[in-house]
Amino acid sequence: MAKNLVIVESPAKAKTIEGYLGKDFIVKSSFGHVRDLAKKGVAIDIENNFAPNYIVSPDKKQIVAELKKLAKEAEMVWLATDEDREGEAISWHLFETLGLDKKKTKRITFNEITKSAITKAIESPREIDSKLVNAQQARRILDRLVGFELSPVLWRKVKPSLSAGRVQSVAVRLIVEREKEIQAFNIESYYKIGGFFNSKNGTLKSDISRNIESESEVEEILSKCNGATFTVLNVEKKPATKKPVAPFTTSTLQQEASLKLGFSVTRTMSVAQRLYESGKITYMRTDSVNLSETAINGAKAEIKKAYGEEYSSPQQYKTKNSGAQEAHEAIRPTDFSVHGIEGENDEVKLYDLIWKRAISSQMSDAQLERTTVKIGANELDDKFISKGEVVKFDGFLKVYLESNLEEEDRDVDSGLLPAVEEGETVALDELNATQRFSRPPARYVEASLVKKLESLGIGRPSTYAPTISTIQKRGYVEKPQREGVERQYDKWTLKGGEINKETLTEITGRETNKLAPTDIGIVVTEFLMEHFEHIMDYNFTAQVEKEFDEIAKGMVEWTKMLESFYGPFHHKVEDTLEHSERVTGERELGTHPKSGRKVIARIGRFGPMIQIGDEQEDGEKPEFASLRGTQSINTITLEEALELFKLPRTLGEHENQPIKANVGRFGPYVQQGKLFASIPKEQDPMTITLEEAIELIKLKKEADSKRIIKQFEENEDVQLLNGRWGPYLKIGKKNFRLPKDVKPEELTLQECLDIAENQPSTKKGAKKKS
């Protein structure tokens, strides 16, 4: 048996490290946390100084038993989990759960999985840092308290099964407020004038820099330009320098991977984790831009070798974020001489991005020459401006150019202008005046939301991806596909002495991957803002992050921090439960044209809905209809609402049964007898044809036939089915696990009934067989 047991949190990491250590070491994975707060109840003894009730999760009991056995047999146990607070907490939980001896346990950390880094860590072990552990515990316990106490408030006052979280609710608030800005935005039109001028050495594209406010002013300018003599008034050339940017932090990697590769933040972190665990990059959760001396020297050597001495400019960057956690390095390749890797496509792309960003940060500035040409005519007050940019020495641009979230639709001046001289006459070839429209603030994409959270001091590198994932999973935020709408705009053209005007069309508002709040997200946010303003305050959320940082530095006692937060918070929860009204986001749309009954849009038990009538007001039972996926209670019109009551639509008959289209709790569907088939997003229950519905029903029947293993004619409620975790038994609406080693296709009806009688059921689907 090996003398040394090394424990890490992932099998991939274990495999890489084992390759660097000798036969005296065995490396095992804990597969993440081995224990956590108990799922049942709050799992925190508030009266006993917020003592947490940690339990080993059932799926980790076997792993814990194996690690305990190996730890007893080893002379030394090395806890080698990640170097951040979460990693420190995993090591502490392992120490406590495995009952390790302090004298036989060492803690080691490294920010890259290379032979030299592992060897260096083994040579300089330390003890578990209780300050880092306490910072993680404080975050975990505070977030559990907020979620555990706020969620039931939402269940009673808004809608069942909702949840709230300290950081997630603030992130949703950002998206809700941006949506309200967009809805309140007043679109105004203006005009841009630009054209082409012929000089003796070539053509210049040139524009009037200001916006033209009115149609009459456009026509006046075009008239003055028609037949005017244009000359070059000024030619200005200026040297300019473009500097490289710092190597990646977690947030800048997420932003750039979104812009350049189209990755979600979750996808970026998953790929980066694999690159780290296979020893190709440094640790991927960091808010530092520092590089080690070893890294700087490695980059310097590679730049000189690959590009030449003049491209090398070693430098150290300073972290702007005052709350940056621990002295981590920026994200970089572990070996700068490896320009690219082989492997999965995502890994190849992300490694390439990380390598280019890190190597370019150590390269020389780019030297540019920027030229500005002004063109004018005596008849005209406005000047036409041409701008060009020429790269004299590419420097770091040879490798990398940073993307910009704000430059989504911005025109970038670039390229070489033809040589012109002051006083030179240029001929107007063509002039265009185009109507444009002011635009509301852009909806957040995942990358820009990360940037905003970071700028407000909300969250940390380890929390950005889970936060953005959670608010989408819980239905508060979505990424609707917006097809856009057609809009008309005017365009004037001056060419050959003639001015012509035409009306053209364009599509505006087309969007993909933009974050928008759902109706329930808006209602919950407004409720929390009214009753829990403190929790929803950006400054408060950022201050809590700073307090976690102070706990990690040993400046604040973690239980005192929790105590100061919990008292006022708990009081507010109790007060809200007792005194606040239930909210539904109700909005009155008008009255029904025939019955005169009130029509309202609101949140119901199963989501956004339209209600006609009120039993308390008119004595009749109200009518209800669910909204379609693309509709919102905040924007739906009375006419659109009334259309929903035309459902269910009878489309015709198939196999002597009527086929209907409708919208239900889980979305639009078609129905034939007892068979229901979902209508895909690209189809509409109001317009779907009988032929399209029959095709959906055929596909559903085919899928169901593959799912059914066995049915019993004498009792149709009993079925043996294939599920996500394998075969299971279904009787009515109840599901039952099958015992090991049974062949479902051979079971009799009586055997199925016996299985059901001898075990509890679950209504949510069969669980994995033990």
Side-chain angles (χ1 to χ4, degrees):
M1 178 52 64
K3 295 178 183 177
N4 298 277
L5 171 65
V6 180
I7 305 177
V8 296
E9 61 273 80
S10 89
K13 188 174 170 183
K15 186 179 178 183
T16 307
I17 291 172
E18 198 159 42
Y20 297 133
L21 297 171
K23 56 181 172 50
D24 288 338
F25 289 83
I26 182 173
V27 186
K28 288 290 179 182
S29 167
S30 68
F31 293 83
H33 277 281
V34 291
R35 67 174 190 173
D36 195 4
L37 292 172
K39 289 185 178 179
K40 194 173 182 181
V42 69
I44 298 158
D45 189 345
I46 294 161
E47 303 299 322
N48 187 21
N49 222 15
F50 298 93
N53 175 25
Y54 292 118
I55 62 164
V56 176
S57 49
D59 61 327
K60 292 296 173 70
K61 286 183 177 177
Q62 191 174 338
I63 293 165
V64 168
E66 183 192 359
L67 292 176
K68 271 186 179 179
K69 179 175 178 291
L70 292 170
K72 276 185 182 179
E73 294 169 352
E75 293 177 14
M76 184 63 67
V77 177
W78 304 79
L79 300 173
T81 51
D82 291 341
E83 60 178 344
D84 59 5
R85 295 172 196 171
E86 203 68 31
E88 204 71 21
I90 292 173
S91 277
W92 176 72
H93 282 297
L94 283 165
F95 182 87
E96 296 282 319
T97 307
L98 303 181
L100 300 178
D101 183 345
K102 202 170 185 180
K103 294 175 184 175
K104 288 177 55 182
T105 307
K106 292 180 178 179
R107 171 81 171 114
I108 55 171
T109 59
F110 34 83
N111 80 317
E112 60 180 64
I113 304 174
T114 57
K115 187 174 179 64
S116 58
I118 304 300
T119 304
K120 188 178 176 182
I122 295 282
E123 290 169 357
S124 52
R126 60 170 173 82
E127 293 184 351
I128 292 170
D129 188 333
S130 60
K131 300 189 294 295
L132 296 182
V133 174
N134 289 339
Q136 189 274 346
Q137 283 199 103
R139 177 188 290 279
R140 184 75 185 90
I141 290 170
L142 182 64
D143 287 349
R144 169 61 73 90
L145 288 170
V146 170
F148 189 81
E149 300 217 355
L150 266 190
S151 297
V153 176
L154 297 179
W155 303 343
R156 286 177 58 178
K157 302 297 181 179
V158 185
K159 179 177 172 286
S161 304
L162 295 177
S163 69
R166 183 182 57 84
V167 177
Q168 79 173 48
S169 297
V170 176
V172 176
R173 178 190 168 187
L174 280 169
I175 294 165
V176 168
E177 288 183 343
R178 177 59 56 87
E179 195 67 23
K180 288 183 176 179
E181 286 178 51
I182 293 167
Q183 299 301 334
F185 187 81
N186 185 27
I187 296 174
E188 296 178 349
S189 73
Y190 59 93
Y191 304 87
K192 295 296 288 184
I193 296 180
F196 299 90
F197 295 85
N198 294 330
S199 72
K200 59 187 177 185
N201 290 317
T203 301
L204 293 96
K205 182 181 180 299
S206 205
D207 304 293
I208 293 176
S209 54
R210 72 182 179 95
N211 294 338
I212 312 302
E213 299 300 327
S214 67
E215 187 172 331
S216 60
E217 192 179 2
V218 167
E219 291 173 344
E220 182 185 347
I221 291 171
L222 291 178
S223 295
K224 287 180 178 179
C225 289
N226 194 4
T229 300
F230 289 91
T231 56
V232 176
L233 304 175
N234 180 256
V235 179
E236 184 179 55
K237 291 188 178 183
K238 281 185 178 179
T241 300
K242 193 184 282 283
K243 293 183 175 294
V245 288
F248 284 130
T249 61
T250 301
S251 69
T252 54
L253 175 63
Q254 289 169 346
Q255 291 164 43
E256 198 74 342
S258 171
L259 293 167
K260 279 191 161 67
L261 307 178
F263 286 9
S264 68
V265 293
T266 302
R267 183 177 173 189
T268 297
M269 293 312 291
S270 174
V271 178
Q273 177 113 17
R274 296 200 296 272
L275 290 173
Y276 165 67
E277 290 175 346
S278 59
K280 294 180 177 72
I281 63 168
T282 53
Y283 191 53
M284 66 286 159
R285 293 189 188 94
T286 175
D287 42 18
S288 169
V289 292
N290 294 327
L291 291 177
S292 67
E293 283 302 314
T294 306
I296 289 173
N297 291 333
K300 180 180 177 182
E302 189 56 32
I303 290 165
K304 286 182 177 179
K305 178 184 170 186
Y307 307 110
E309 179 87 39
E310 69 274 22
Y311 282 91
S312 176
S313 179
Q315 55 188 303
Q316 187 64 273
Y317 294 84
K318 288 190 176 178
T319 303
K320 294 177 184 176
N321 180 7
S322 59
Q325 281 185 37
E326 298 89 47
H328 296 165
E329 263 195 275
I331 303 168
R332 61 166 175 83
T334 54
D335 184 351
F336 279 102
S337 69
V338 180
H339 290 220
I341 61 167
E342 293 181 355
E344 290 183 16
N345 196 34
D346 280 5
E347 292 176 22
V348 171
K349 286 179 180 177
L350 196 66
Y351 179 87
D352 181 65
L353 193 65
I354 292 166
W355 184 88
K356 285 177 176 176
R357 175 78 166 229
I359 199 96
S360 70
S361 76
Q362 300 301 302
M363 292 175 74
S364 305
D365 297 348
Q367 302 302 324
L368 315 171
E369 182 180 78
R370 289 184 178 142
T371 304
T372 303
V373 176
K374 285 185 182 178
I375 297 171
N378 291 333
E379 299 89 341
L380 199 64
D381 293 330
D382 287 293
K383 306 293 182 285
F384 286 88
I385 309 294
S386 297
K387 290 184 177 181
E389 182 177 274
V390 178
V391 177
K392 294 291 190 181
F393 171 65
D394 54 3
F396 78 94
L397 292 176
K398 194 172 194 72
V399 174
Y400 183 83
L401 177 62
E402 183 187 29
S403 301
N404 191 321
L405 281 164
E406 280 71 46
E407 283 188 347
E408 200 174 346
D409 299 294
R410 188 184 296 171
D411 289 329
V412 180
D413 297 309
S414 62
L416 184 65
L417 298 178
V420 292
E421 298 172 356
E422 285 186 23
E424 180 183 338
T425 300
V426 290
L428 175 62
D429 179 45
E430 181 180 325
L431 202 59
N432 295 305
T434 308
Q435 185 179 21
R436 304 293 352 129
F437 300 88
S438 59
R439 283 186 288 185
R443 289 183 176 89
Y444 290 105
V445 291
E446 289 190 2
S448 57
L449 183 60
V450 168
K451 187 176 183 180
K452 184 66 175 178
L453 290 169
E454 185 181 40
S455 72
L456 292 170
I458 296 169
R460 286 294 180 262
S462 59
T463 65
Y464 300 135
T467 297
I468 290 172
S469 175
T470 298
I471 62 178
Q472 292 176 75
K473 282 179 184 171
R474 293 186 173 167
Y476 292 141
V477 171
E478 61 184 357
K479 292 179 182 174
Q481 183 92 8
R482 298 180 195 271
E483 298 301 327
V485 294
E486 195 171 81
R487 175 174 67 189
Q488 291 188 332
Y489 67 98
D490 293 329
K491 182 180 179 181
W492 289 259
T493 303
L494 166 57
K495 191 172 176 68
E498 289 188 6
I499 299 173
N500 293 306
K501 179 185 175 184
E502 58 184 331
T503 299
L504 304 171
T505 58
E506 62 184 357
I507 300 296
T508 181
R510 182 180 283 139
E511 285 183 349
T512 55
N513 291 323
K514 297 287 182 78
L515 298 168
T518 59
D519 284 338
I520 197 69
I522 294 170
V523 171
V524 167
T525 298
E526 289 174 347
F527 177 82
L528 293 175
M529 285 294 295
E530 182 181 350
H531 299 286
F532 295 92
E533 191 177 0
H534 193 48
I535 290 285
M536 298 292 282
D537 182 73
Y538 299 133
N539 292 329
F540 168 74
T541 310
Q543 181 57 38
V544 170
E545 294 294 345
K546 287 179 184 173
E547 290 181 36
F548 291 149
D549 295 340
E550 287 168 356
I551 293 168
K553 295 170 186 171
M555 296 163 62
V556 174
E557 170 59 41
W558 70 285
T559 53
K560 297 288 184 192
M561 179 260 187
L562 290 173
E563 191 178 332
S564 65
F565 165 82
Y566 183 72
F569 169 68
H570 181 65
H571 174 75
K572 187 64 180 170
V573 167
E574 292 186 319
D575 182 67
T576 304
L577 279 169
E578 189 173 347
H579 298 112
S580 70
E581 296 293 322
R582 196 171 184 278
V583 295
T584 63
E586 184 176 308
R587 177 172 157 256
E588 190 168 336
L589 305 179
T591 57
H592 194 284
K594 291 183 179 177
S595 68
R597 301 179 84 192
K598 184 168 69 175
V599 181
I600 61 171
R602 67 178 181 89
I603 297 292
R605 180 178 177 83
F606 301 119
M609 57 179 280
I610 301 298
Q611 177 179 325
I612 298 177
D614 185 325
E615 196 166 0
Q616 291 181 339
E617 290 184 9
D618 52 34
E620 293 182 42
K621 283 190 175 182
E623 296 177 62
F624 303 101
S626 296
L627 267 66
R628 281 145 58 193
T630 55
Q631 295 175 322
S632 164
I633 61 172
N634 294 295
T635 56
I636 193 169
T637 64
L638 176 63
E639 292 72 23
E640 290 167 340
L642 294 175
E643 280 290 310
L644 296 173
F645 289 87
K646 293 179 179 177
L647 293 173
R649 286 174 61 223
T650 300
L651 308 179
E653 284 196 2
H654 179 61
E655 297 172 344
N656 298 319
Q657 286 184 308
I659 305 288
K660 296 178 182 179
N662 203 355
V663 175
R665 179 181 172 187
F666 302 110
Y669 63 89
V670 291
Q671 178 185 358
Q672 180 189 29
K674 290 185 178 180
L675 189 142
F676 298 84
S678 295
I679 297 175
K681 281 185 179 179
E682 60 270 16
Q683 291 179 300
D684 189 320
M686 298 300 297
T687 58
I688 192 169
T689 64
L690 176 63
E691 291 71 25
E692 289 169 334
I694 290 170
E695 187 59 32
L696 292 177
I697 286 165
K698 282 181 181 175
L699 291 171
K700 183 69 166 62
K701 285 179 177 177
E702 285 174 20
D704 284 352
S705 67
K706 292 174 185 175
R707 182 169 166 254
I708 298 168
I709 300 171
K710 190 172 185 178
Q711 289 177 298
F712 300 93
E713 286 184 12
E714 57 268 46
N715 190 337
E716 290 183 0
D717 284 342
V718 181
Q719 293 178 310
L720 289 156
L721 305 172
N722 278 311
R724 183 180 176 187
W725 307 115
Y728 68 98
L729 169 66
K730 182 178 182 183
I731 301 179
K733 292 184 179 180
K734 294 181 179 181
N735 299 334
F736 302 88
R737 293 190 201 93
L738 295 178
K740 285 183 181 178
D741 306 323
V742 302
K743 293 182 177 179
E745 62 275 10
E746 294 178 3
L747 288 172
T748 64
L749 175 61
Q750 189 56 49
E751 286 170 334
C752 289
L753 297 174
D754 290 344
I755 288 169
E757 195 176 330
N758 291 314
Q759 67 170 277
S761 68
T762 171
K763 290 185 180 180
K764 290 188 177 181
K767 293 184 179 178
K768 198 171 183 178
K769 292 186 286 182
S770 56

